[in-house]
Amino acid sequence: MLPFRPAPSWLADAVLYQIYPQSFADANGDGIGDFAGIAAHLDHLAWLGVDTVWINPCFASPMRDAGYDVSDYLTVAPRYGTDDDLATLVERARRHGIRVLLDLVAGHTAVEHPWFRAAADDPSDHRYVWADADPLPSGFVASPGTRPGGYLPNYFDFQPALNFGHARPDPAEPWRQPVDAEGPRANRRALRAIMDHWLTRGVSGFRVDMASSLVKDDPGKKETARLWTELRGWLDEAHPDAVLLSEWGDPAVSVPAGFHGDFFLQFGGATDGGPLRSLWNTGTGTDRDEWDPAPCYFDATGKGSFAGFAAAYAEATEAIGEPGHIALPTSNHDFSRLACAPRDAAQLPAAYAFQLTWPTLPAIHYGDEIGMRYVPGLPDVEGSVLTPRYNRAGSRTPMQWDDGPGAGFSTAPPERFYLPLDPDPARPSVAVQRRDPGSLLHTVRALIRLRRATPDLGSRSAVRVHNDGYPLVYSRGEHHLVVVNPSDRTATAPLPDPAHARATRLIGEGVTVGPDGISVGPFGYAVLRH
Ligand code: NOJ
Ligand code: CA
């Protein structure tokens, strides 16, 4: 027997779209995106064919980490509008057939949150991991209040970890409380109340920030998993049509814990994000010293390898079984976009042909559908710079709607924009690509339509990789073959089956299939039916 109800059936066919609210569309001309701006562009999302939107945190916040420092979970940030504006957006999205997921920052608050302000003055408060010790244990931050000692941060120092307990309590270190102590129990109840609040207002679920971080010193994440299992049990009863997707990066652990799905990410799992990076990472956008500098698979030199990703995907799929999903993002607000030097927009149709025909929940980061590029050299805005080589701002620039001066993002003077627009005079835009049937935007749309029209290409049918070099060749279900060449030279492969010689091309460019095999020109791709 499954420990949970099966995931809501809508999730299996979902195509996700991530909206960074401050950068998507500014309706009131203050230079920062807002809910009304999103609502005004729902027709673009519906036309594109996405049906589930995840909005990065849009709650009251001092915005030192772009909203991942929440000071009130139950009120939206005024810069995006009012609670009513969010409700209007959710309702309009519903009418366009689009569900809205919010971002639940479960592991920490802002230091400005009233819970934290109270805790900083009250030694009997256990909502945070507080050490009344001198000297402070390593990693703790000194108290900003009248209370002695200090607190454990979860990410930046101004993001105090909510106390969900330690898996291995120790009376000699009293800040290591058991998971069922009063503070941790209050925080679990609070998570439930926050979810209930927004679900009751029509949202369809959450992407949960740093979902693996809750219980501290938790080998194998066993206690953190127990916490999410308990919450999923509640959700299954109270909101059975809602979903929880985790920012965990390890579906084999997070899905059995209770998430309906998890993302393959630039971090997480046995190789700390190796599988996703082995597809996309060009080493020139957001980059870390410890990341493997080997070329990724979607690299024009044709020197990458698909095998590591395929093995990790197969292993995760096996571990999560039927009820779970793995989401595969084009990029996200923390990681380089697909168009990141030296990879340019010409190389992206092949990447999308893969992403939109793989058995996954595809997730498109806003702007990737037109090939917006990772913009290097931007200032540190709201905590975007993590290290000198890791500036997340490059993946957070304003959406490029048209080729006007403000790119249709905002009418504010450019110096008031949340982040500068991509200064490239040839930057792509939605309006220009809408007029060009050969554009990336039309290709992405056509691939989404094909996926929806073809159950073989969806998240539930089998995949079999026939060639994991260049070109990539795999079967989907009984009747579909996908061929993708991310390299800048012609690549050939044998036919997996002689019957494929007579296959019909449903979409693609640069692919010939005949009795002698498959030949794919530079950056070519095709979906074939046989
Ligand atoms: C992960 C989020 O994606 C990132 O943007 C944020 O800075 C950290 N979690 C802290 O919440
Ligand atoms: Ca605005």
Side-chain angles (χ1 to χ4, degrees), residues 10-11 14-24 35 38 42 45 50-59 66-68 86 89-90 93 98-105 203-210 243-248 261-267 276 327-335 355 361-368 392 395-396:
W10 62 264
L11 187 61
V15 176
L16 310 176
Y17 189 92
Q18 177 185 349
I19 292 183
Y20 208 56
Q22 50 271 63
S23 302
F24 196 62
F35 295 134
I38 300 173
L42 287 167
L45 302 178
V50 302
D51 58 7
T52 308
V53 153
W54 147 41
I55 304 179
N56 286 91
C58 53
F59 311 105
Y68 282 98
L86 176 59
L89 167 61
V90 170
I98 295 172
R99 292 183 162 80
V100 174
L101 310 181
L102 298 182
D103 203 315
L104 179 67
V105 189
V203 315
S204 295
F206 300 91
R207 173 267 193 190
V208 180
D209 185 63
M210 289 178 70
V243 301
L244 290 180
L245 303 179
S246 50
E247 189 211 27
W248 192 311
D262 186 13
F263 295 84
F264 259 36
L265 291 170
Q266 65 279 10
F267 66 86
L276 186 79
L328 185 64
T330 53
S331 67
N332 60 52
H333 64 295
D334 295 331
F335 183 56
Q355 190 223 15
L361 295 182
I364 299 172
H365 183 42
Y366 80 96
D368 281 351
R392 306 180 288 178
S395 295
R396 301 175 174 184

Side-chain angles (χ1 to χ4, degrees), residues 212-280:
S212 70
S213 73
L214 302 202
V215 177
K216 302 305 180 196
D217 186 19
D218 184 16
K221 299 286 170 194
K222 293 225 161 45
E223 289 298 337
T224 303
R226 253 196 261 276
L227 182 157
W228 288 112
T229 303
E230 178 190 290
L231 272 166
R232 170 69 180 273
W234 164 78
L235 193 77
D236 277 352
E237 294 309 317
H239 300 279
D241 205 36
V243 301
L244 290 180
L245 303 179
S246 50
E247 189 211 27
W248 192 311
D250 195 0
V253 178
S254 53
V255 171
F259 285 93
H260 298 90
D262 186 13
F263 295 84
F264 259 36
L265 291 170
Q266 65 279 10
F267 66 86
T271 56
D272 203 21
L276 186 79
R277 285 186 276 113
S278 78
L279 292 178
W280 305 144

